[in-house]
Amino acid sequence: MVRLDRRAKIEKFLEVIQAVKDTAPTSTDLAELDLAGLEEAFAARGWERFRARQVFAWIYRRGVTDVDAMTDLPRDLRTALNTEFTIGTPQVASREQSADGTEKFLLTLADGRHIESVFIPDTPSMTFCISTQVGCAMACAFCLTGKMGLVRNLTAGEIAGQVRVLARSLGFLDRPFNIVLMGMGEPLHNYDAVMQAMRILCDEHGFHLSPRRVTLSTVGILPALEKLGREELMPNLAISLHAPTDAQRGALVPINKKYGVAEVIAACKRFPVRKRDRITFEYVMLAGVNDSVDDARKLARLLDGVKAKVNLIPLNAAAGIPFERPSDDVVDRFARTLAERGVTVSVRKSRGRDIRAACGQLIVEGQRPSPAQRLATLAFR
Ligand code: SAH
């Protein structure tokens, strides 16, 4: 009896882990498929290939998800599509606009979970900040999303779907925009779904987004980073570094214990950066923790020989975050120290702080992971 009980518990546990890891598209949701997948699904049903392209263009070029509005498809195909497929689309639960024009979207997913996506205008381009997970397993000491823990991975359709929903809601279907994978979650902890979303978003029959308009921000999960360097659709890379030494970074970014500063920098040196491009190193500035002139000197030395630019992010403080934002003078002094040593440096202007849409402030309350999900999160580190 006892043994059975334990077994049932273990099975339940494995089931939950699978649910956390599971990013596999359901066969019936068109939003999970890239064009090649869509063509395959159509071919398997004996439908013509070019029909798949038409449907793909409706969804991504025109933002149409109602099959009955796809007027150039034959009626019987529309009927078949309606019965055999869905087009999963995140629903806008609320929109909040900041005084500076930044807009935060709260989106509801098919299973009732919530994520946030942010529109940041004029930076100088238009930028969508997109989430890759519900919550995050990385637990960085200064980040609110990290406090949620990982609830689950987003699917490729949910990642690309955020772009679709924002582009449509904001009237950007035929205007250029950039994407930063800097919302909730760690993109390299959900690698396959992120790359499938890249294929969907960059396809010339859909949004036709250039990979150069996408920036992937990561704490530096090394095996995934190496893999990223071999991808055909390679986004720009941003590394959340935050400190020049293992002692400091380890206290802020727990995964540093697994992939330390020297290893991350070595991987960046090997990374195939395009001509004239650089890797961005994000550096959250925390008063009295990593903001001294000595830290800046160490950082400059560390980045010697790396095609780097540093983006300083003065902390966006929040209740429950045990750090303070340094004064503007301290930030300037740090930036100057780097610049004097030949490091390209910029200071990120905080946007949307009044609606809690700024870096590290995305959190959706009331979505605590279950104990098994928490265990799965811890096992990763
Ligand atoms: N997990 C990825 C993507 C998140 S991007 C990553 O860590 O890179 C969000 C960026 O905002 C990261 O550089 C993150 O470190 C930073 N950030 C997190 N909390 C912040 C806060 N409270 N203030 C300022 N920046 C923060």
Side-chain angles (χ1 to χ4, degrees):
M1 205 40 215
V2 173
R3 279 182 60 197
L4 258 183
D5 252 14
R6 280 185 59 188
R7 201 167 150 182
K9 268 188 198 156
I10 290 169
E11 268 166 17
K12 181 79 201 147
F13 176 66
L14 291 176
E15 211 176 276
V16 175
I17 289 189
Q18 193 53 44
V20 173
K21 284 168 131 186
D22 205 3
T23 57
T26 57
S27 60
T28 53
D29 188 355
L30 291 187
E32 298 299 340
L33 303 177
D34 57 10
L35 182 55
L38 196 58
E39 285 176 342
E40 223 172 89
F42 275 38
R45 287 165 177 79
W47 303 343
E48 290 152 302
R49 257 186 133 65
F50 79 97
R51 295 292 181 200
R53 266 193 218 168
Q54 276 179 306
V55 171
F56 196 81
W58 274 111
I59 299 174
Y60 294 100
R61 280 206 186 147
R62 306 198 217 179
V64 170
T65 48
D66 173 8
V67 170
D68 293 319
M70 301 182 181
T71 44
D72 56 359
L73 301 181
R75 188 181 297 273
D76 54 344
L77 179 59
R78 276 187 263 158
T79 311
L81 278 172
N82 269 328
T83 47
E84 291 185 43
F85 294 103
T86 55
I87 306 176
T89 303
Q91 301 300 308
V92 180
S94 68
R95 280 169 77 159
E96 250 181 296
Q97 196 165 21
S98 156
D100 65 22
T102 300
E103 209 168 332
K104 185 166 78 171
F105 287 70
L106 176 69
L107 302 178
T108 312
L109 306 171
D111 66 351
R113 299 282 188 190
H114 290 94
I115 49 167
E116 291 178 325
S117 319
V118 182
F119 168 57
I120 315 156
D122 312 313
T123 51
S125 346
M126 305 296 172
T127 302
F128 298 169
C129 180
I130 298 299
S131 294
T132 55
Q133 296 179 313
V134 184
C136 185
M138 297 301 123
C140 298
F142 45 78
C143 179
L144 276 184
T145 307
K147 287 201 165 296
M148 288 175 66
L150 177 64
V151 179
R152 72 165 171 87
N153 276 334
L154 293 185
T155 65
E158 289 167 337
I159 297 169
Q162 295 167 66
V163 179
R164 195 152 44 83
V165 168
L166 263 63
R168 194 173 150 187
S169 312
L170 296 158
F172 271 87
L173 282 170
D174 46 19
R175 289 166 65 189
F177 53 83
N178 295 338
I179 290 179
V180 293
L181 298 178
M182 297 188 184
M184 300 167 79
E186 165 50 49
L188 292 189
H189 192 200
N190 186 15
Y191 190 90
D192 293 342
V194 166
M195 289 318 298
Q196 171 80 345
M198 285 290 289
R199 281 189 290 277
I200 293 173
L201 295 170
C202 297
D203 196 293
E204 58 173 324
H205 300 286
F207 280 124
H208 200 187
L209 192 74
S210 160
R212 312 182 73 120
R213 283 193 172 274
V214 183
T215 300
L216 182 152
S217 176
T218 176
V219 289
I221 297 174
L222 289 194
L225 191 58
E226 306 278 355
K227 212 166 147 194
L228 187 70
R230 295 191 295 271
E231 291 285 350
E232 206 175 307
L233 292 177
M234 214 204 309
N236 303 313
L237 182 61
I239 300 281
S240 287
L241 190 64
H242 308 317
T245 64
D246 281 329
Q248 287 164 298
R249 190 171 191 257
L252 302 173
V253 181
I255 196 106
N256 191 76
K257 294 183 188 82
K258 204 161 174 180
Y259 308 117
V261 171
E263 279 180 290
V264 170
I265 297 297
C268 288
K269 285 184 178 164
R270 287 194 299 272
F271 198 82
V273 183
R274 282 176 285 246
K275 257 194 204 135
R276 290 191 299 276
D277 279 358
R278 289 157 196 267
I279 298 174
T280 301
F281 288 87
E282 294 160 288
Y283 195 102
V284 174
M285 295 202 69
L286 310 169
V289 174
N290 63 357
D291 61 348
S292 71
V293 169
D294 187 45
D295 292 326
R297 288 194 194 116
K298 283 186 185 140
L299 181 61
R301 228 172 294 137
L302 185 68
L303 295 179
D304 190 30
V306 187
K307 287 177 84 180
K309 57 183 175 191
V310 172
N311 191 209
L312 301 176
I313 321 174
L315 176 76
N316 294 310
I321 299 295
F323 299 103
E324 278 166 42
R325 182 190 184 92
S327 70
D328 290 350
D329 284 350
V330 168
V331 175
D332 281 353
R333 188 183 62 183
F334 196 95
R336 250 183 295 118
T337 309
L338 289 176
E340 281 159 12
R341 281 160 181 74
V343 179
T344 307
V345 55
S346 57
V347 179
R348 189 177 297 181
K349 209 173 140 224
S350 193
R351 304 282 300 254
R353 264 199 287 165
D354 53 344
I355 54 166
R356 213 161 72 183
C359 299
Q361 297 195 309
L362 302 184
I363 186 168
V364 183
E365 253 105 18
Q367 295 200 108
R368 297 272 161 234
S370 67
Q373 283 169 328
R374 251 198 309 275
L375 259 179
T377 300
L378 288 174
F380 178 77
R381 267 185 242 134

